[in-house]
Amino acid sequence: MRLSLIIAEQDLNVLEHLQSYFDKNHRDDIELVTMTRAEILKKYLENHGTDVLLMDDQFGLKASELADACSRIAYLTADQNASHEDAPSFFKFKRTDLLYKDVVSLYADAAPSKRSNAENAKVQASGIRSGDRILVTSFSGGTGSTTIAAAMARSFAAKGESTIYLNFEKAGASEVLFDGDGEFTFDEILYTLKEHGNLPLKISSCVRTDRSGVDFFAASTEAMYMLEFTEENRKELLETLGTSMKYSRIVVTEDFSLSAETVRKMAQMDHIIVVTDGTMTANSKFVRVMAALPHLEEQEKVTIRDRMRLIYNRFHPAAEGYMKEITRPGIPVMGNIPPIKHATTRQIVEYIAQNQQDVLLRYLEGGFV
């Protein structure tokens, strides 16, 4: 799908800079027209219209005058703090890649998905998707499942695989683990899911890329907003990422609760990595959850235990005596990751990703300890 974009700008230096960027980087997805005169812009819109209009706020026209001919309009301003009542404002001197994301996000709010509900159902039923879905979770808090998920995502990216890391924890924050340029947060994704906007476009405008090559979303501005992220929203987001055919690995971390909903969510994953630390407390919780899962599987008519693998994180040799009890349900153990001290969370993630790939990616080769 090509998005039609008009940039109406009086400053020729700005106009040439923006045109050069869009022509070089987005020729396949943006159909660009540039204007320098108000009367020509009005005439063009009368005959053609456009998806998005970016207009210099000194152009001599009001957005309200042109609204019928444009799906979305925003002003280009020389003042970073400028605002207008009738349309959003974008700072014309911001980085062009971020301005592009502004354009896509703006249009995504107005554009319905190109696939109908029936077509979406057909794609989902066909099973055609990319992206190995890997859930990393823990039955006991504080075992480091978030850290392991981030390290696993980095390991995939280091092998050249297109990878996205999704933190669905209610109070999770991907920015603690990854860095990436962007202005939008997961709030935008939530809004689009609720309003049934164009989710693929919104994803492309919100996703950030860490220097390791891992894509991710910045966390919601408030943890409370994640309470609005429903089971159906989660399913739609995962299916949209899968059918985009962009990612070969989708790494998810989220809170665990012993419930039918959690079992249904687990059933949507290709692999389930359970992280524990080998302590008696964590092992006791693991054994109790594993004893309850067959009943929930029967209730929901799904099977998830055959997708489970175990990682011992911050493993200490003194805990080795507890391993027999925890592996009794027959869950393969991918390996042990020793404690790492005197390091920040991000340093720990980087170290594990670089030095424990044999453990993190062992399920790919089918070898277990």
Side-chain angles (χ1 to χ4, degrees):
M1 185 203 75
R2 294 189 78 200
L3 182 155
S4 60
L5 169 66
I6 296 176
I7 301 178
E9 172 61 55
Q10 297 180 107
D11 187 327
L12 293 181
N13 289 328
V14 171
L15 193 61
E16 290 174 6
H17 174 68
L18 294 177
Q19 183 169 6
S20 175
Y21 169 79
F22 281 103
D23 284 347
K24 180 180 179 180
N25 298 282
H26 299 288
R27 185 180 293 274
D28 292 337
D29 56 319
I30 298 286
E31 181 182 338
L32 178 64
V33 175
T34 60
M35 302 277 181
T36 58
R37 295 169 57 186
E39 63 272 18
I40 295 178
L41 173 61
K42 291 181 70 173
K43 188 68 174 178
Y44 182 91
L45 288 175
E46 287 174 7
N47 296 322
H48 304 283
T50 189
D51 292 328
V52 177
L53 168 63
L54 298 184
M55 183 173 65
D56 183 354
D57 64 352
Q58 302 301 312
F59 211 65
L61 295 172
K62 293 289 186 183
S64 54
E65 299 176 47
L66 309 172
D68 290 343
C70 311
S71 295
R72 281 290 187 265
I73 303 176
Y75 289 109
L76 289 174
T77 69
D79 180 355
Q80 194 166 5
N81 299 313
S83 62
H84 296 80
E85 292 183 358
D86 57 342
S89 300
F90 298 155
F91 183 49
K92 66 176 68 177
F93 300 114
K94 75 192 308 181
R95 274 177 36 191
T96 45
D97 59 325
L98 298 182
L99 184 62
Y100 165 74
K101 290 194 172 188
D102 285 337
V103 169
V104 174
S105 180
L106 183 69
Y107 181 61
D109 293 335
S113 174
K114 288 295 182 182
R115 282 206 300 256
S116 67
N117 290 336
E119 288 172 322
N120 279 328
K122 184 177 180 181
V123 170
Q124 293 162 15
S126 72
I128 299 173
R129 64 173 171 87
S130 69
D132 209 20
R133 298 177 183 175
I134 304 145
L135 173 65
V136 183
T137 189
S138 175
F139 300 158
S140 179
T143 60
S145 58
T146 305
T147 301
I148 296 300
M152 184 173 287
R154 289 180 67 104
S155 293
F156 284 130
K159 290 170 67 70
E161 301 205 43
S162 55
T163 304
I164 187 167
Y165 168 88
L166 301 174
N167 191 322
F168 291 157
E169 297 169 352
K170 297 295 185 291
S174 300
E175 304 92 303
V176 176
L177 305 163
F178 299 102
D179 273 325
D181 293 328
E183 298 177 338
F184 300 117
T185 68
F186 200 69
D187 294 344
E188 298 285 330
I189 301 294
L190 291 173
Y191 175 82
T192 302
L193 286 165
K194 297 299 180 186
E195 298 299 320
H196 306 291
N198 193 306
L199 188 57
L201 277 179
K202 185 61 72 173
I203 288 170
S204 69
S205 68
C206 293
V207 74
R208 305 186 186 193
T209 303
D210 182 71
R211 58 184 173 83
S212 66
V214 176
D215 281 2
F216 68 99
F217 296 115
S220 288
T221 51
E222 299 286 344
M224 287 291 293
Y225 297 160
M226 288 300 293
L227 297 177
E228 301 176 14
F229 186 53
T230 66
E231 180 181 354
E232 191 59 37
N233 292 157
R234 177 189 186 274
K235 181 179 179 181
E236 183 178 353
L237 179 56
L238 287 174
E239 287 174 344
T240 301
L241 288 168
T243 56
S244 73
M245 311 303 284
K246 180 177 180 180
Y247 297 106
S248 58
R249 306 290 178 183
I250 300 173
V251 180
V252 178
T253 182
E254 61 188 325
D255 305 312
F256 175 82
S257 65
L258 187 59
S259 66
E261 179 179 328
T262 295
V263 168
R264 290 193 299 270
K265 289 178 178 178
M266 285 182 162
Q268 296 170 12
M269 311 309 289
D270 298 308
H271 308 279
I272 302 166
I273 311 302
V274 182
V275 180
T276 186
D277 59 8
T279 62
M280 289 185 68
T281 300
N283 287 359
S284 173
K285 291 181 178 180
F286 182 92
V287 171
R288 289 172 64 84
V289 169
M290 292 303 299
L293 282 181
H295 305 287
L296 288 170
E297 286 177 316
E298 183 178 358
Q299 174 185 315
E300 297 302 317
K301 306 279 192 295
V302 297
T303 303
I304 60 173
R305 285 171 296 160
D306 59 346
R307 307 175 207 182
M308 288 184 172
R309 304 291 183 266
L310 193 65
I311 287 181
Y312 280 90
N313 185 37
R314 297 197 288 264
F315 183 77
H316 194 279
E320 194 162 357
Y322 305 131
M323 287 182 67
K324 290 182 180 179
E325 179 184 10
I326 196 170
T327 55
R328 206 174 289 161
I331 305 301
V333 178
M334 293 168 62
N336 312 322
I337 296 176
I340 302 167
K341 300 179 179 179
H342 312 298
T344 66
T345 301
R346 192 169 297 182
Q347 288 171 338
I348 291 172
V349 169
E350 292 178 358
Y351 179 86
I352 293 174
Q354 292 171 5
N355 297 281
Q356 298 290 332
Q357 282 196 10
D358 59 327
V359 173
L360 296 175
L361 308 184
R362 183 164 288 166
Y363 83 90
L364 296 175
E365 286 76 34
F368 304 101
V369 298

